Amino acid sequence: MRSDNIKKGVERAPHRSLLKATGVTDSEMDKPFIAVVNSWNEIIPGHIHLDKLAEAVKAGIRNAGGVPFEFNTIGVCDGIAMGHKGMKYSLPSREAIEDTIEIMVQAHQFDGMVLIPTCDKIVPGHIMAAGRLDIPAIVVTGGPMLPGFVGDENRDLVSVFEGVGAHQNGLISDSELKLLEDLSCSGAGSCAGLFTANTMACVTEALGLSLPGCGTAHAVDAKKTRIAKESGERIVAMVKEGLTARKIVTQKSIENAIKVDMAIGGSTNTTLHLPAIAHEFGLELPIELFDELSKTTPHIVSLRPGGGDFILDLDRAGGVQAIMERLRSMLALDARTVTGKTIGEDLEDFVIVNPKTNKKVISTLENPVHPEGGIAILKGTLAPEGSVVKQSAVNKKMLVHTGPARVYESEEDAMKGIMAGDIVSGDVVFIRYEGPKGGPGMREMLSPTSAIAGMGLIDSVALITDGRFSGGTRGPCIGHVCPEAIEGGPIALVQDGDEIEINMPKRILNLNVPQEELDKRRASLVHPKKDAESGYLSRYQKVVGSASKGGILE
């Protein structure tokens, strides 16, 4: 066992003495030491209950004959960080989380680890650490929040963001907005729709890194507690079997996960996180593969924000395993999972508990919600290296659109223009200098997209950015435009009134301006000055790579 490096032999008497200071007994010195990596904190709704899940995990580890040691990682709530400088720290936190896990696990030579994350960048940060360390690892994602209920409808965080735009446009009153504020977010868990956090939880299960059912089991459901305890038991067995993370996550499992992502219509942020995860597992994941698999994988559930169902509905319909059962003919069924079995063997044990709900919520391959998957990769004169759109959340009439550009140099400037009523039907709003380097930090733009949606313009106005969009974004919102503006990408040359051509079926994103004119603009291009960054963001800006390759640190 790796932990023998800190507990075996005469020369390790000082180490054992320190371990005994924490309460470790002589009999425990012969058992596997398991890290319980917990992102619990008191400010993120998705994390406020993770202390309870950790207790269940530790009970499972002890049941199976292991010794648990819990430590914490950081986390950023994208909702609370939204719309201000704080969002610049969200994506960069992913690598900081990964680094802290590596430091703790390597310094203390744990034999295995149970990872307990929930939200947007925290889940990929934990998984990336599993790939880098390649020890036995199992992930217990914290689970979704139950929907709120306001005005006789299920609600979620996006309901509140869009309520701000509706209020600004006089569509709802002060008191109606206050009710949305008070009742939309019901308690512990990641926001209730198929936004980034829940997309990543589903992807984690599809990768084979969580026990079946974990991806959609809700935060307040006893099922989640049982899964946590079973995961604690299972990690001890994985240590004894030598089943490490890289034996589970392979090219096959990555492609399985992308197909599940396409089928559920997941967040565009997976095009950042899965390539970064693949990189840490020693694999390559070109962004084009998302588009290739999207063209052959139908979209078969209609979940928020693009549809009306919530993660609760998907869970009752059978969750990720029900999706994989539908996709059975398209998956690599021999990919391994943390159960020690293959995907195919796990599916043999799957039982549809609610057959009517299953048929209602999950479409068949023959009659899907959309014939293609949720994400499309657009390229053209505006995005030579690619851009990303959640096509499953776009109104059919906006799949093809040509309109004049309205250019803003930051999210703040865009919000001022939107809230002032400067945007009209047909416009193509640009928010640039918000990429990984230009931001820095590649902020996501839920505030402007929700404001436009709340004003009733989401089916007539497109948004384009070198930043990214929230998993809660719906409508013709195209992000991750590469190269980004600060790197001299064509997005930096766009001016108000330029004709922008969007054709999602043909995967086209063009800036229809003569090359001669673009050459003149480039010759006189001056990047806008931003406040000088210091500290972590300054270091991040110097080493972060293109969003088209996952925004990894180079």
Side-chain angles (χ1 to χ4, degrees):
M1 292 188 291
R2 277 168 44 100
S3 60
D4 287 352
N5 292 325
I6 63 169
K7 63 188 183 184
K8 293 293 184 181
V10 173
E11 70 278 12
R12 294 295 183 249
H15 303 67
R16 290 192 296 274
S17 182
L18 289 168
L19 289 167
K20 288 179 178 180
T22 71
V24 176
T25 66
D26 282 328
S27 65
E28 288 177 320
M29 294 293 181
D30 294 324
K31 298 176 181 179
F33 280 13
I34 307 297
V36 178
V37 186
N38 193 354
S39 58
W40 172 84
N41 59 63
E42 293 183 332
I43 194 168
I44 307 177
H47 293 67
I48 58 175
H49 64 302
L50 297 187
D51 54 338
K52 306 298 189 299
L53 284 187
E55 290 303 318
V57 167
K58 289 187 284 187
I61 291 169
R62 294 188 183 102
N63 286 347
V67 184
F69 295 86
E70 183 180 358
F71 66 85
N72 288 88
T73 63
I74 63 168
V76 171
C77 177
D78 279 23
I80 296 173
M82 194 75 64
H84 56 87
K85 183 178 180 179
M87 180 50 73
K88 293 186 177 185
Y89 287 87
S90 176
L91 182 59
S93 75
R94 185 183 70 183
E95 274 70 18
I97 290 165
E98 178 187 18
D99 290 346
T100 58
I101 296 172
E102 177 194 357
I103 289 167
M104 287 293 290
V105 170
Q106 294 290 57
H108 303 103
Q109 292 293 287
F110 290 109
D111 298 305
M113 58 184 178
V114 180
L115 303 160
I116 313 177
T118 301
C119 292
D120 298 26
K121 313 307 171 297
I122 299 94
V123 174
H126 281 231
I127 297 174
M128 288 163 67
R132 181 185 291 180
L133 293 165
D134 192 27
I135 65 173
I138 190 168
V139 184
V140 181
T141 47
M145 182 187 297
L146 291 173
F149 199 69
V150 187
D152 297 312
E153 292 184 28
N154 285 327
R155 305 286 187 171
D156 54 37
L157 178 66
V158 173
S159 306
V160 191
F161 271 100
E162 293 187 358
V164 173
H167 180 269
Q168 182 70 15
N169 214 30
L171 299 176
I172 63 173
S173 65
D174 290 350
S175 60
E176 288 173 313
L177 181 59
K178 182 66 162 55
L179 285 173
L180 286 173
E181 175 186 326
D182 289 347
L183 301 174
S184 292
C185 294
S186 65
S190 47
C191 299
L194 188 66
F195 315 139
T196 304
N198 291 325
T199 300
M200 285 306 305
C202 292
V203 164
T204 302
E205 184 178 335
L207 280 171
L209 288 173
S210 291
L211 290 180
C214 186
T216 59
H218 278 53
V220 297
D221 193 333
K223 178 168 59 175
K224 179 64 77 176
T225 305
R226 295 195 299 271
I227 288 172
K229 190 175 291 186
E230 290 165 355
S231 297
E233 293 172 344
R234 180 61 194 148
I235 191 64
V236 177
M238 290 173 65
V239 170
K240 294 176 180 178
E241 295 165 8
L243 182 55
T244 65
R246 290 195 180 195
K247 292 177 181 177
I248 294 169
V249 177
T250 63
Q251 189 66 33
K252 288 180 181 180
S253 56
I254 289 278
E255 293 189 16
N256 281 345
I258 294 175
K259 290 174 183 178
V260 168
D261 184 23
M262 296 304 108
I264 62 178
S267 166
T268 53
N269 283 309
T270 57
T271 64
L272 278 173
H273 299 321
L274 276 172
I277 288 168
H279 175 76
E280 293 295 356
F281 277 85
L283 304 168
E284 295 233 353
L285 177 52
I287 195 172
E288 291 79 9
L289 184 59
F290 286 88
D291 203 54
E292 178 185 326
L293 296 179
S294 182
K295 288 178 179 178
T296 57
T297 308
H299 174 220
I300 57 176
V301 291
S302 186
L303 303 175
R304 290 273 294 164
D309 287 336
F310 289 75
I311 296 295
L312 185 61
D313 300 298
L314 177 58
D315 187 53
R316 290 170 174 168
V320 174
Q321 280 204 297
I323 298 295
M324 298 185 88
E325 180 63 37
R326 287 284 202 282
L327 299 178
R328 177 185 278 271
S329 63
M330 307 174 65
L331 300 178
L333 297 176
D334 58 343
R336 298 179 76 181
T337 79
V338 291
T339 64
K341 303 176 183 178
T342 65
I343 289 286
E345 290 169 336
D346 284 344
L347 287 176
E348 288 176 8
D349 298 327
F350 172 61
V351 176
I352 298 175
V353 177
N354 304 303
K356 290 182 180 178
T357 302
N358 178 273
K359 290 180 180 179
K360 177 184 175 185
V361 174
I362 305 175
S363 301
T364 63
L365 300 185
E366 295 73 27
N367 188 30
V369 179
H370 296 102
E372 292 188 355
I375 289 174
I377 307 300
L378 312 184
K379 291 188 176 183
T381 56
L382 183 58
E385 293 180 7
S387 62
V388 183
V389 64
K390 189 173 184 176
Q391 62 175 346
S392 59
V394 179
N395 187 298
K396 287 183 179 180
K397 69 180 182 180
M398 287 298 289
L399 293 173
V400 178
H401 177 74
T402 300
R406 296 298 304 270
V407 181
Y408 299 96
E409 310 295 0
S410 70
E411 180 185 4
E412 288 83 358
D413 289 346
M415 274 300 290
K416 288 177 184 176
I418 292 166
M419 299 302 278
D422 294 344
I423 305 303
V424 300
S425 179
D427 282 349
V428 180
V429 177
F430 276 79
I431 308 175
R432 63 190 180 192
Y433 293 99
E434 292 287 4
K437 283 187 181 292
M442 201 179 187
R443 290 189 290 180
E444 64 182 33
M445 309 293 170
L446 184 57
S447 292
T449 61
S450 296
I452 285 177
M455 292 176 174
L457 294 172
I458 200 64
D459 292 330
S460 61
V461 169
L463 289 94
I464 297 176
T465 182
D466 53 4
R468 57 194 177 86
F469 290 114
S470 163
T473 293
R474 61 187 177 94
C477 301
I478 302 167
H480 308 200
V481 172
C482 294
E484 61 175 292
I486 199 70
E487 297 278 42
I491 191 173
L493 307 178
V494 181
Q495 295 182 1
D496 283 342
D498 285 351
E499 183 181 275
I500 307 301
E501 177 190 359
I502 302 167
N503 191 317
M504 296 182 198
K506 293 185 178 180
R507 306 301 202 254
I508 289 172
L509 182 61
N510 281 338
L511 169 60
N512 290 336
V513 174
Q515 186 60 48
E516 182 180 353
E517 170 61 21
L518 294 179
D519 291 340
K520 290 180 182 178
R521 294 181 188 179
R522 185 174 296 282
S524 58
L525 177 63
V526 178
H527 298 304
K529 291 183 179 179
K530 289 195 172 187
D531 293 336
E533 300 290 350
S534 60
Y536 184 63
L537 289 182
S538 177
R539 297 196 299 274
Y540 180 84
Q541 189 174 40
K542 292 173 183 175
V543 295
V544 66
S546 171
S548 65
K549 296 181 179 179
I552 61 175
L553 304 187
E554 298 177 343

